[in-house]
Amino acid sequence: MGKQAKGVGKASLLALSVMSILAMDGYSAFAQDAPAKQVFGNIALPSAGPSASYGSYAKGCQSGAVALPTEGQGFQAMRLSRNRRWGQPQMIAFIERFAQDAQKIGWPGLLIGDISQPRGGPMLTGHASHQIGLDADIWWRPMPDRVMSADQRESTPFISMLDKSKFLTVDDRKWSPLNAKLVMLAASYPQVERIFVNPAIKQKLCQTWKGDRTYMGKIRPIYGHDEHFHVRLECPPGAPNCKPQAAVGAGDGCDKSLAWWFSKEPWAAPKKDPNAKPPKPPRPVMVSDLPRACAAIASAQSASAGATLIRNREASAMPAAQPEMDTNAPSVTPNALMPPADIPRPSSRPSLN
């Protein structure tokens, strides 16, 4: 057996051990000393009870999460096998509202990537954030005019907005004013705190956007994010256990902080001391490193798979985006806001008021 096969075998055994202990009494005590990504990455359903975020976007968990339907008015969820389309009700309602508003400006529909795991927390692979149900990835690729199969949602490739032959340059064959209009629309919602995009995309917006720049400062440059943009909602009002980030600074962000990304510093390889000893492997984040409530959330009773399916009444109550919308856009049918029968849902969804 090769090294890779042995590694896979060990990972599988650890996952099985975690899942076995999840069903045992006294799990909370065990969880304190378990790697957080193994615990939260192997839980299939959200916890029953009220919805809440605990901790920060990159160090926390969530209770009472809600599943984004596989498809709805103006959106389809992608990569369903990841089981990462769970969020706080505010995030799910935001996506549903944004998808409808995006169609009104001419966007064909949103393809939604990762939101969070059923109980949040660190993931087995991928993101450092997305841990408290208030982050969501939205693909730059427009939604097709058909409902995709599960296989198609797994295999459909991303579309990068960058010109791969030039350093940090947007490919004008792929980027259009409608892409800019979409991300600026997302930034205009009052509950959106930040949007992360590739530095080249931020630069493109700074250079070409002719409309209202009030919300430009919310759009932040970061590594990657050329195939999707990352929307982050603020901690909801009256959520004492949700740890907010510092407020975005004044201005549109089209300044020296953006120019830094186009210098050598962000991309330079770290200098290595040839005489230094090899560093020890980083210590994994343990459940005990997360907010104290997270161990209890990990071991809490799951929301019933047979829970009553309810309409997303919150979507109509979401604060509207700031730009004016086309009032002649197609209306939303009641069934468009119903989750499909294969998605377990909590028996109630807290009001956004």
Side-chain angles (χ1 to χ4, degrees), residues 176-193:
S176 75
L178 188 55
N179 291 89
K181 199 171 183 180
L182 178 71
V183 71
M184 291 300 290
L185 171 64
S188 71
Y189 291 85
Q191 67 271 36
V192 170
E193 183 185 68

Side-chain angles (χ1 to χ4, degrees), residues 222-264:
I222 194 66
Y223 297 101
H225 292 78
D226 55 307
E227 299 167 335
H228 70 273
F229 60 97
H230 175 162
V231 176
R232 173 167 292 169
L233 300 190
E234 65 185 0
C235 286
N241 297 305
C242 182
K243 184 178 180 181
Q245 287 186 275
V248 173
D252 60 9
C254 302
D255 50 21
K256 292 182 180 179
S257 64
L258 177 60
W260 177 81
W261 287 97
F262 294 85
S263 69
K264 293 182 179 180

Side-chain angles (χ1 to χ4, degrees), residues 69-76 143 336-337:
T70 53
E71 57 268 338
Q73 177 66 35
F75 73 88
Q76 295 185 47
M143 186 181 79
L337 298 178

Side-chain angles (χ1 to χ4, degrees), residues 32 34 39 41 58 124 128 144 147 156 159 167 181 190 210 244 258 265 285 290-291 297 313 338:
Q32 294 290 336
V39 172
L124 291 169
V147 176
T156 296
I159 294 179
F167 174 70
K181 199 171 183 180
K210 303 302 182 183
L258 177 60
E265 186 176 351
V285 174
L290 303 179
I297 289 169
R313 295 183 297 272
M338 288 289 289

Side-chain angles (χ1 to χ4, degrees), residues 30-46:
F30 160 80
Q32 294 290 336
D33 296 321
K37 68 178 183 180
Q38 292 292 342
V39 172
F40 286 92
N42 284 291
I43 299 175
L45 293 172

Side-chain angles (χ1 to χ4, degrees), residues 68-78 91-113 136-144 146 148 153 178-179 181-183 185-186 189 229 231:
L68 181 73
T70 53
E71 57 268 338
Q73 177 66 35
F75 73 88
Q76 295 185 47
M78 303 297 287
M91 173 53 81
I92 304 306
F94 164 77
I95 292 172
E96 292 172 331
R97 176 62 179 269
F98 178 41
Q100 295 167 38
D101 290 346
Q103 286 190 316
K104 296 173 186 177
I105 65 169
W107 191 259
L110 305 177
L111 297 181
I112 309 299
D137 289 341
I138 300 175
W139 290 21
W140 287 116
R141 186 185 194 109
M143 186 181 79
R146 66 188 186 283
M148 290 184 285
R153 298 184 202 215
L178 188 55
N179 291 89
K181 199 171 183 180
L182 178 71
V183 71
L185 171 64
Y189 291 85
F229 60 97
V231 176

